[in-house]
């Protein structure tokens, strides 16, 4: 990399510019303190000024301030939404200020990255959610609480198993091969863990940066958006406060997968005429394999926190326990969390602190799937004559299955296991010093030290999950470890002079990450109690596959400068420049500098708007910014070798090396540029507020694997090729319908967003890449398949031409060819008739409402989506559960017969392609529209009970919650009864390849659940 000394120059220049303002020589004293609300929570961004002067500061992330004032001065402390206070300084230099809420509050303060700002001064696209809103949806992962609650932020379920993570996309998908995941920043430091590592009860607020003018300050790591998480802190000088949050709940299957019962299956098999009953099957048997498998699950969460303050400092420590037991036997997720923070001032100008988050988690049971349950014939009898379970059942002339029931799986838990044990510790130390002779100037150093380790163990005993009772045992163990350090040096100048507000920040940072992975597998473990702990003792083959071992070392070096200026609370301007250097990219292409600029106009504060009483806030924002992405695997610039064994006679062999991926000495950054226009408004004395955004984002030089012709002898190489585009709008509305009217309060909120994604260009100017499912002019997520138009009926013309050898009742797909002069098709339907079909929805969003009467409150949170395609591997031919031949368990569908010609699904036993009906893949595409209720919560607040006060209890709230109670409307739910949200990646839960992995589908994963919770929040 380049000599880093040259990148200190901007910081030196910034320091020299900061010295220009003169400092006073009058006698003064320094006052410091903390500003809190009625709940003892720190207030970020409160204005603290010396009365009658322009001398002032704003409180930091912990609500603290430090200010030099004249002796005998009076401090004016104000914050939008709270009543302004005036406090004479007199002889006190340590102040604790409690601001009371103002019922006419119209604004808030948001975290913007390396600082805070009043929402009225923000010029970029930032969405904020308070911790109380997040806790309205109890969950292990806070992303579940954010689903469909923030416009432009799509959080999709990737699995319904306990402990599964969400897929998060902010304003669409940009990259083809690089990551599209946003950056998570925890208490100011980029976070290397996942959201499941953070206890939701620890979160005070979340701020999501969506446009490039906001994210540019985080450089290449913020290319896909940034999620800023601020956790709870203690209160300086406050007595210790103990809080407890806990809930317990029951989990029940939302809806069983819609499989045929014994009677329907026997009738369909006979009609198809392809398979006969086996010795274990009988038409009078009706086995519900799902009933034999499922159990009731439970979920429980408990966290305790103690916080308070010392003279000039504060602290907060807590621990949490969470357990989620799934409805499939042995599936569960357990997490233990510890968190601590302290912040201490030393003297007038120096302070230091530490924040630490550590967790240990265990995930079990991912080896237990449902395909082996759903695929078994419902007319197969699992019991012997004496009532004991059979080991296996045969369910046609060629298939046999291992019997899987709840009791079988639970009894085999120690002999058939899959478990992942993870430990992570994420630590942030800081030190900050204020310049005593220059008002508003301070230096801060952040040091992040992070470690994460995961151990994945698998063991299958002799004959388990196998039709052969003597099948050998197998075991495997994978271990991965990540270490990371990051250091940030920040110099900030913050000053208000009359109507002018300045905030200037400069930063230099560096970080390094080391990742290692190892894997070993073995057969014939000598004793089952060894499980996966001593694979070296395996009596069979021990496999150490080099492809499953890895070592990566990466670094990132950056410098950044940002300036914010506000004049008279009317005109705002923000400019950012950042330069990053990534070790992942080629020499000579590692550095990139990108700018961002945004401006705002508080129109309501203009004199010509004074007569409009019903309009409280009206602000126009516009921003432009550039970001980049370097999130590809390290060493892609160097190419890759692979190994291949060569035999020389019966005993001699050698290992050869060959080039599997070409190097690229020109590999550089993937670039994105974004225009964003926003309008913020508040009406009717704060009763109605909202935001409208429109954006256009263009990405070029995509990081993409380019396939090479087979004659080259090399499969591919990584290059900068291709372009994508995202554009769309977002609307957020918040309203207060009733405001303490005879004890009644009623609030409602709505968010709506629509994103249009388009692939603009591919490598070599090709218009399509069918292997990866990419097509120029269409969204990145598009399918390429035949288009279902119905079923062939008796008397339909051209069946013999379009479908030679076809039959009445088979699937009819769209024909795109030409016609002869007499109107007959010129050819049969073939691959050229496949269509490109977008999966993208028209729009999506959420609606929530809260009704309160005195101490009672009712919260209802709903989500909706309009349009797009939902993929179901249950119905798609890749799932082998919609074969309509009677070979295996069959989805309960309305199929064609001579007496039921208006059916949607084809005739059983008709023409096939492989083992499925011809064009059977078209049966897996559904309208993705839905409107569902996510959560209903009824709570009772007992804060004002006298007997509780006498016991020293400051607050107590009890609540009951129903999660995922019902679907209001959905075409998919109407036909299947299933939850219309995805639960699998595209290559999961399939018998043969069907979809790209990046596609999210409804598959035979753990079924969706309906949860019933009871919880309390206690503070004393």
């Amino acid at each position: 990399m380049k000599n880093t000394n040259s990148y200190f120059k901007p910081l030196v220049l910034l320091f020299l510019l900061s010295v220009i303002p003169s400092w006073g020589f009058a006698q003064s004293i320094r006052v410091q303190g903390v500003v809190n609300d009625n709940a003892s929570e720190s207030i970020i961004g409160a204005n603290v000024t010396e009365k009658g002067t322009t001398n002032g500061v704003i409180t930091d992330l912990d609500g603290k301030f430090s200010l030099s004032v004249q002796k005998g001065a009076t401090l004016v402390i104000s914050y939008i939404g709270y009543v302004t206070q005036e406090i004479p300084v007199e002889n006190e230099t340590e102040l604790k200020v409690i601001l009371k809420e103002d019922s006419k509050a119209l604004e808030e303060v948001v975290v913007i990255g390396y600082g805070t700002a009043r929402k009225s001064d923000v010029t970029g696209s930032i969405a904020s959610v308070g911790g109380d809103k997040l806790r309205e949806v109890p969950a292990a992962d806070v992303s579940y609480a954010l689903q469909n609650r923030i416009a432009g932020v799509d959080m999709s379920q990737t699995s319904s198993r306990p402990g599964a993570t969400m897929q998060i996309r902010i304003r669409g998908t940009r990259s083809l091969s690089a990551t599209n995941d946003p950056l998570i920043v925890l208490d100011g430091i980029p976070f290397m863990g996942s959201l499941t590592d953070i206890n939701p009860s620890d979160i005070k607020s979340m701020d999501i940066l969506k446009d490039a003018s906001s994210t540019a300050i985080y450089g290449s790591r913020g290319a896909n958006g940034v999620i800023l998480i601020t956790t709870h802190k203690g209160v300086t000088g406050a007595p210790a406060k103990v809080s407890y949050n806990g809930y317990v709940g029951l989990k029940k299957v939302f809806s069983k997968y819609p499989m045929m019962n014994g009677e329907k299956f026997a009738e369909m098999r006979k009609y198809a005429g392809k398979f006969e009953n086996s010795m274990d099957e009988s038409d009078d048997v009706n086995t519900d394999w799902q009933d034999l498998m499922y159990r009731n699950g439970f979920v429980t969460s408990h966290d305790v926190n103690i916080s308070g303050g010392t003279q000039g400092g504060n602290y907060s420590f807590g621990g949490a326990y969470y357990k989620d037991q799934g409805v499939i036997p042995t599936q569960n997720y357990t997490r233990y969390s510890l968190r601590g923070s302290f912040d201490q001032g030393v003297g007038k100008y120096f302070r230091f602190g530490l924040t630490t988050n550590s967790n240990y988690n265990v995930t079990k049971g991912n080896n237990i799937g449902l395909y082996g349950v759903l695929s078994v014939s419902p007319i197969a009898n699992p019991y012997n004559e004496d009532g004991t379970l059979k080991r296996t059942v045969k369910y046609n002339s060629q298939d046999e299955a291992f019997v899987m029931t709840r009791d079988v799986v639970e009894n085999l838990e120690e002999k058939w296991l899959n478990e992942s044990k993870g430990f992570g510790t994420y630590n942030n130390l800081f030190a900050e010093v204020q310049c005593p002779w220059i008002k508003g100037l301070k230096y801060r150093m952040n040091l992040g030290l992070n470690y994460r380790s995961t151990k994945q163990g698998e063991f299958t005993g002799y004959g388990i999950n196998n039709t052969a009772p003597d099948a050998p045992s197998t075991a495997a163990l994978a271990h991965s470890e990540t270490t990371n350090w990051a250091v940030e040096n920040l110099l900030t100048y913050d000053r208000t002079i009359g109507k002018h507000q300045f905030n200037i920040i400069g930063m230099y940072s560096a970080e390094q990450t080391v990742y290692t992975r190892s894997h070993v597998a073995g057969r014939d473990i000598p004793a089952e109690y060894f499980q996966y702990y001593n694979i070296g003792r395996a009596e069979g083959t021990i496999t150490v596959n080099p492809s499953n071992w890895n070592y990566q070392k990466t670094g990132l070096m950056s410098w950044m400068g940002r300036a914010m200026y506000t004049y008279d609370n009317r005109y705002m301007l923000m400019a950012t420049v950042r330069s990053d250097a990534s070790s992942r990219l080629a020499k000579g292409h590692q550095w990139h500098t990108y700018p961002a600029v945004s401006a705002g106009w508080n129109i309501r504060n203009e004199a010509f708007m004074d007569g409009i009483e019903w309009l409280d806030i009206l602000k126009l924002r516009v921003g432009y910014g550039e970001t980049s992405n370097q999130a590809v695997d390290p060493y892609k610039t160097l190419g890759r070798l692979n190994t291949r064994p060569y035999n020389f006679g019966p005993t001699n062999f050698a290992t050869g090396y060959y080039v599997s991926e070409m190097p690229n000495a020109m590999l550089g950054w993937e670039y994105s540029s974004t225009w964003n226009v926003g309008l913020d408004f508040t009406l009717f004395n704060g009763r109605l507020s909202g935001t409208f955004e429109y954006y256009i984002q263009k990405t070029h030089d995509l990081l993409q694997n380019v396939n090479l012709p087979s004659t080259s002898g090399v499969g591919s190489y990584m290059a900068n090729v291709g372009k994508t585009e995202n554009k769309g709008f977002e609307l957020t509305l918040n309203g207060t319908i009733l405001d303490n009217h005879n004890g009644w309060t009623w609030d409602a909120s709505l968010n709506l967003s629509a994103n249009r994604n388009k692939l603009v260009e591919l490598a070599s100017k090709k218009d399509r890449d069918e292997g990866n499912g990419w097509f120029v002019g269409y969204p990145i997520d598009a399918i390429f398949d035949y288009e279902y138009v119905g079923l062939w009926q008796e008397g339909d013309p051209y069946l013999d031409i379009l479908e030679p050898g076809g039959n009445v009742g088979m699937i009819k797909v769209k024909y795109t060819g030409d016609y002869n002069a007499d109107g007959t098709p010129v050819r049969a339907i073939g691959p050229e008739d496949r269509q490109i079909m977008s999966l993208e929805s028209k729009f999506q969003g959420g609606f929530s409402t809260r009704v309160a009467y005195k101490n009672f409150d009712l919260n209802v949170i709903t989500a909706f989506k309009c349009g797009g395609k939902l993929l179901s591997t249950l119905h798609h031919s890749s799932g082998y559960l919609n074969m309509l031949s009677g070979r295996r368990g069959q989805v309960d569908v309305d199929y064609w017969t001579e007496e039921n010609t208006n059916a949607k699904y084809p005739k059983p036993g008709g023409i096939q392609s492989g083992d499925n009906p011809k064009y059977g893949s078209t049966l897996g595409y559904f309208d993705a529209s839905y409107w569902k209720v996510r959560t209903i919560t009824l709570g009772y607040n007992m804060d004002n009970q006298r007997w509780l006060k006498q016991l020293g209890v400051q607050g107590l709230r009890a609540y009951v919650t129903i999660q995922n109670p019902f679907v209001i409307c959905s075409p998919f739910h109407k036909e299947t009864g299933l939850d219309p949200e995805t639960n699998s990646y595209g290559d999961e839960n399939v018998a043969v390849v069907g979809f790209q992995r990046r596609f999210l589908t409804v598959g035979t994963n753990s079924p969706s659940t309906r949860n019933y919770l009871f919880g309390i929040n206690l503070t004393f």
Side-chain angles (χ1 to χ4, degrees), residues 109-122:
V109 163
V110 296
V111 180
I112 58 174
Y114 302 109
T116 61
R118 294 183 304 171
K119 190 172 183 180
S120 61
D121 293 338
V122 171

Side-chain angles (χ1 to χ4, degrees), residues 987-1004:
D987 60 352
E988 294 180 322
N989 312 305
V990 294
V992 295
V993 176
F995 298 117
Q996 301 288 338
R997 177 172 175 79
R998 68 179 184 273
F999 297 158
L1000 297 181
T1001 69
V1002 174
T1004 55

Side-chain angles (χ1 to χ4, degrees), residues 36 47 49 74-79 82-87 96-100:
N36 299 322
N47 287 299
T49 59
T74 297
L75 292 185
V76 179
I77 298 97
S78 63
Y79 181 70
Y82 291 81
V83 177
T84 299
Q85 285 195 34
E86 295 188 6
I87 301 177
K96 179 183 177 183
V97 182
I98 304 294
L99 291 185
K100 298 180 179 179

Side-chain angles (χ1 to χ4, degrees), residues 322-581:
Y322 177 87
K323 185 176 181 66
D324 183 356
Q325 177 177 285
V327 295
I328 291 181
T330 73
Q331 284 192 0
N332 62 77
Y333 172 78
T334 306
R335 182 183 64 207
Y336 306 87
S337 305
L338 289 174
R339 179 187 169 276
S341 70
F342 75 87
D343 184 336
Q344 181 64 49
V346 179
K348 296 181 179 181
Y349 306 112
F350 180 74
R351 53 192 285 253
F352 69 98
L354 165 70
T355 299
T356 178
N357 285 272
S358 300
N359 79 88
Y360 174 73
N361 60 80
V362 180
T363 305
K364 295 183 177 181
N366 285 344
N367 55 315
I368 309 299
L370 285 181
Y371 182 77
V373 174
L374 302 179
S375 63
V376 183
S377 160
I379 61 174
N381 187 349
Y383 298 102
N384 295 307
E385 292 184 0
D386 61 0
T388 59
L389 281 170
K390 298 174 180 177
R391 184 181 175 278
T392 65
V393 292
K394 295 182 178 179
Y395 52 96
N396 57 55
S397 57
Q398 54 184 300
D399 289 328
E400 184 178 4
F402 185 79
V403 171
M404 288 177 56
T405 69
R406 179 172 55 255
D407 292 337
V408 169
V409 174
E410 289 177 345
N411 291 334
L412 292 174
E413 184 172 5
E414 296 301 316
K415 299 179 181 179
W416 186 21
L417 58 90
N418 178 300
E419 59 186 22
S420 174
K421 300 177 180 179
F423 172 75
T425 180
Y426 314 101
N427 308 281
N428 174 23
L429 299 90
F430 79 89
E432 182 178 287
V433 60
Q434 298 190 28
C435 182
W437 57 86
I438 303 178
K439 296 178 181 179
L441 181 65
K442 64 181 179 181
Y443 166 78
R444 178 179 175 121
M445 185 189 75
N446 294 322
L447 175 62
L449 300 172
N450 307 299
Y451 174 81
R452 188 174 190 177
S453 174
T454 301
K455 182 172 70 175
Q456 177 80 35
E458 303 174 20
F459 175 72
T460 303
Y462 288 98
I464 296 176
N465 196 32
N466 199 301
T467 56
D470 57 350
S473 59
T474 60
L477 177 63
H479 180 262
S480 63
E481 186 176 84
T482 305
T483 58
N484 166 270
W485 62 260
V487 61
E488 297 175 336
N489 298 276
L490 296 153
L491 192 62
T492 305
Y493 178 69
D494 193 346
R495 189 73 186 275
T496 299
I497 304 174
K499 296 182 179 181
H500 306 274
Q501 298 178 24
F502 303 91
N503 181 275
I504 304 172
I505 185 170
M507 184 195 72
Y508 170 77
S509 69
E511 72 169 82
Q512 179 178 281
T513 302
V514 177
Y515 169 80
T516 60
R517 185 178 189 272
S518 58
H519 183 273
V520 63
R523 294 170 64 86
D524 282 328
I525 307 300
E528 290 187 333
Y529 54 78
F530 279 18
Q531 295 180 342
Y532 57 81
Y533 293 104
N534 196 348
I535 297 176
R537 292 293 185 184
E539 296 175 349
T541 304
I542 298 176
T543 303
V544 180
N545 187 345
S547 299
N548 292 328
W549 289 63
N550 202 351
Y551 171 82
Q552 298 176 354
K553 184 176 182 179
T554 60
L556 186 71
M557 187 179 296
S558 310
W559 64 263
M560 176 275 296
R562 182 183 68 192
M564 296 189 297
Y565 170 72
T566 300
Y567 174 72
D568 196 23
N569 291 322
R570 288 186 292 164
Y571 311 113
M572 293 77 66
L573 181 66
M574 181 175 74
T576 305
V577 61
R578 174 154 178 154
S579 187
D580 283 346

Side-chain angles (χ1 to χ4, degrees), residues 562-700:
R562 182 183 68 192
M564 296 189 297
Y565 170 72
T566 300
Y567 174 72
D568 196 23
N569 291 322
R570 288 186 292 164
Y571 311 113
M572 293 77 66
L573 181 66
M574 181 175 74
T576 305
V577 61
R578 174 154 178 154
S579 187
D580 283 346
S582 172
S583 67
R584 297 171 184 257
L585 305 176
K587 297 291 184 181
H589 300 270
Q590 293 176 320
W591 280 95
H592 179 61
T593 301
Y594 30 85
V597 62
S598 57
W601 178 24
N602 275 325
I603 304 173
R604 180 61 182 87
N605 291 350
E606 296 291 349
F608 60 79
M609 301 291 289
D610 287 345
I612 306 177
E613 299 296 334
W614 54 268
L615 181 62
D616 306 315
I617 294 175
L618 183 64
K619 185 177 72 172
L620 179 66
R621 296 178 282 106
V622 61
Y624 171 81
E626 297 178 2
T627 58
S628 55
N629 194 339
Q630 45 91 31
V632 295
D633 290 339
Y635 317 123
K636 284 289 186 180
T637 60
L638 306 178
R640 178 169 294 184
L641 296 176
N642 213 334
T643 60
R644 180 175 294 158
Y646 292 89
N647 293 328
F648 296 95
T651 59
N652 297 324
F653 72 92
T655 300
Y657 293 86
Y658 66 95
V659 178
S660 60
E661 188 172 325
M662 289 286 289
N664 183 356
M666 303 293 289
L667 188 66
W669 295 87
E670 177 179 291
Y671 304 109
S672 294
S673 60
T674 303
W675 280 99
N676 188 89
V677 179
L679 184 69
D680 304 324
F681 55 89
T682 301
L683 315 173
F684 313 124
N685 199 24
R687 299 290 288 269
L688 177 65
S689 61
T691 297
F692 178 82
E693 309 260 5
Y694 178 78
Y695 61 89
I696 299 177
Q697 181 184 76
K698 296 184 178 181
T699 304
H700 61 94

